Amino acid sequence: MSDFNSTHNRAVWFDIPVRDLERAATFYRAVLDITVEIEQAGELRFAVLEHHDGNGGCLVPASEDAPSTGGILLYLNADGRLRTAVEQATRCGGQILEPVHPIGPHGFRAIVLDSEGNRFALHSQTDG
């Protein structure tokens, strides 16, 4: 994590609980159009979402932390490709809970249920 992110951003990392690591990695690769690498650290197997110098996160096999439709709503970046990301979500086993809609001066979002049962938002500055 870069100094910029640890100094200026309130959220610095996230873990998304998943039931099927391979299926979830395929889902997030397609929806976010990024690399999702599966890694192994000792007995822990997880998948890291491409993030370079930005804030990042990973997919972690669910143990006691089960996928959820409630709690904090995580916004993931689909800037400039929001409608494509929504189409990919549906194609890869997700469900659209709220279609693309404006959120005032803050751009646009869609609320999605991922392939594992987690609710999250896709966000873009434009409707595209």
Side-chain angles (χ1 to χ4, degrees), residues 91-110:
R91 204 177 107 235
C92 293
Q95 179 183 350
I96 307 310
L97 300 177
E98 293 181 24
V100 174
H101 60 278
I103 51 175
H106 306 290
F108 297 82
R109 75 175 186 182

Side-chain angles (χ1 to χ4, degrees), residues 81-100:
R81 55 177 302 282
L82 182 57
R83 293 193 182 273
T84 300
V86 167
E87 289 171 17
Q88 288 288 6
T90 302
R91 204 177 107 235
C92 293
Q95 179 183 350
I96 307 310
L97 300 177
E98 293 181 24
V100 174

Side-chain angles (χ1 to χ4, degrees), residues 7-18:
T7 302
H8 299 286
N9 290 309
R10 300 304 146 240
V12 296
W13 190 264
F14 55 88
D15 287 348
I16 299 173
V18 301

Side-chain angles (χ1 to χ4, degrees), residues 17-34:
V18 301
R19 299 268 184 230
D20 182 321
L21 188 60
E22 300 288 340
R23 178 179 63 205
T26 298
F27 178 89
Y28 283 97
R29 276 185 202 111
V31 171
L32 300 177
D33 194 27
I34 61 171

